[in-house]
Amino acid sequence: MRKQLFIIGLALALPLAGACAQEPVIARPAQTIAETLSAATSLSQLKAVVVAHNGKIVAERGYDGHTPAESANIKSASKSIISALVGIAISKGLLEGVDQPIAPILASDLPAKRDPRLDRITIGNLLSMQAGLERTSGGNYGRWVASRNWVRAALAMPFADDPGGAMLYSTGSTPLLSAILTKVGGKSTLALARDWLGPLEDFRIGAWDRDPQGIYLGGNQMAMSTRSLLAFGELYRNGGRTAEGTQIVPEDWIRQSWQSRTNSRFSNDGYGYGWFERVIGGKTVHYAWGFGGQMLYIVPDLALTVAMTSDEGDPSARSGYRDDLHDLLAKIIGTAEG
């Protein structure tokens, strides 16, 4: 299909949520960033990229007929959004904090004969993928989502480690958080997201899968445009505030979320509360990642936020494609510094 080019010059740069209007944007790097995006056509899985610098979109592009405004399945990048909702729930007093045990909240879904270690799992353990329960991702994912009750099935998984131990990346941790948010918030996780993140301009969640009990999946199967994903990243880059200065996510929660508490056994990247951390292009980068190559990068030192969406059907980690996206970010960083 005919490739469509969407590049916004700096003279027409659009303000975003979290933008600092008084901060200047240097023209030369943005022009080079646009050229960098043009050269990324060799990445066949890539659908769209949007780049913001100092709170303004400086370049964006769609590939193979896709656009930054169209909806995409952001896959596990939605885990970072669940993390934001947990932080907001804590700030509202609906949850006690990251050290709060989950068992009393999910008592009705606990196994009849349960491992006593279930009583030691905390909110923070779920966020950092350190619950200790056997993974529901990878080879176990299909069997888990085929179960009649995803929350109960996740809680019934055998323990592979103690709570607080090694990182065991498991999508099943986020439906547990979604169920917890639903219980304490008194409405669905999607409704909470729309209420709490509603003041954020350009942010919108479209479709989102639910389990047989109606609990939203949490860390997977969420529809969002590349621009909307960028808007969420800008919220975090700007300390949890909107362009108008409204505090949506507590700034301290962002610091906690970006603090590495464990490491991925696959990439050795640090992992906090729903966010990975890695040095790319010589800069510390906090990023959300979804299967297929759904990426949200935040580079605080450069006031840079980059969202990328890709074909959701092809893997990105073991294929090396995620590394290609990291390399594309490194080039963007290089031009932004220039």
Side-chain angles (χ1 to χ4, degrees):
M1 287 184 288
R2 185 177 179 180
K3 299 184 184 298
Q4 298 182 10
L5 181 64
F6 299 85
I7 298 186
I8 298 180
L10 285 176
L12 300 176
L14 300 178
L16 283 173
C20 298
Q22 73 276 14
E23 294 180 352
V25 181
I26 302 171
R28 181 177 173 275
Q31 183 179 2
T32 310
I33 289 171
E35 294 169 354
T36 299
L37 299 190
S38 295
T41 54
S42 60
L43 301 177
S44 60
Q45 291 177 228
L46 194 58
K47 287 185 175 181
V49 181
V50 185
V51 181
H53 183 217
N54 282 330
K56 296 180 183 296
I57 292 177
V58 294
E60 59 177 2
R61 176 168 180 147
Y63 301 84
D64 288 331
H66 298 287
T67 77
E70 73 181 40
S71 185
N73 186 345
I74 66 168
K75 305 296 281 187
S76 287
S78 56
K79 290 178 171 65
S80 301
I81 295 171
I82 281 290
S83 175
L85 296 179
V86 171
I88 295 171
I90 292 173
S91 72
K92 291 179 176 294
L94 299 175
L95 292 172
E96 297 171 9
V98 294
D99 295 327
Q100 182 177 358
I102 68 168
I105 306 174
L106 299 176
S108 61
D109 291 309
L110 294 173
K113 295 182 179 180
R114 67 178 189 264
D115 190 307
R117 286 176 288 187
L118 278 172
D119 295 305
R120 292 163 44 194
I121 298 175
T122 65
I123 298 288
N125 292 154
L126 294 179
L127 287 165
S128 63
M129 300 291 177
Q130 294 176 284
L133 294 168
E134 182 64 59
R135 299 182 340 119
T136 56
S137 295
N140 294 328
Y141 184 81
R143 177 168 56 88
W144 170 59
V145 296
S147 68
R148 295 182 178 180
N149 188 311
W150 297 358
V151 171
R152 290 183 181 178
L155 290 169
M157 295 294 284
F159 275 85
D161 199 352
D162 290 332
M167 178 183 180
L168 296 168
Y169 188 89
S170 178
T171 292
S173 290
T174 43
L176 298 182
L177 290 169
S178 183
I180 288 169
L181 287 167
T182 299
K183 286 179 181 292
V184 302
K187 58 179 69 174
S188 75
T189 312
L190 179 58
L192 293 174
R194 288 173 173 168
D195 286 350
W196 294 348
L197 299 174
L200 179 58
E201 187 177 358
D202 295 327
F203 177 83
R204 179 181 178 275
I205 297 173
W208 196 5
D209 280 5
R210 291 184 288 178
D211 71 7
Q213 284 67 48
I215 301 296
Y216 283 92
L217 182 51
N220 200 2
Q221 303 299 95
M222 177 187 285
M224 184 179 292
S225 71
T226 315
R227 287 180 187 161
S228 185
L229 187 59
L230 184 88
F232 177 73
E234 274 292 288
L235 177 69
Y236 263 61
R237 184 199 64 79
N238 201 41
R241 294 179 294 275
T242 67
E244 297 73 29
T246 302
Q247 193 79 45
I248 295 181
V249 179
E251 189 168 8
D252 182 62
W253 180 254
I254 295 174
R255 286 193 291 267
Q256 291 184 58
S257 299
W258 284 353
Q259 178 184 343
S260 291
R261 301 166 191 283
T262 185
N263 294 85
S264 167
R265 62 174 176 166
F266 302 108
S267 66
N268 201 40
D269 290 352
Y271 194 74
Y273 291 154
W275 291 87
F276 290 93
E277 181 180 280
R278 183 185 185 94
V279 174
I280 300 176
K283 299 294 182 180
T284 297
V285 177
H286 307 284
Y287 74 93
W289 164 59
F291 184 90
Q294 324 308 329
M295 313 300 298
L296 176 58
Y297 297 106
I298 301 174
V299 191
D301 286 353
L302 297 179
L304 189 70
T305 306
V306 181
M308 304 179 185
T309 53
S310 305
D311 185 341
E312 68 181 72
D314 295 322
S316 61
R318 63 177 181 268
S319 68
Y321 175 64
R322 184 180 57 183
D323 293 333
D324 292 337
L325 298 181
H326 290 343
D327 290 342
L328 175 57
L329 177 69
K331 293 174 183 176
I332 294 171
I333 288 173
T335 55
E337 287 186 300

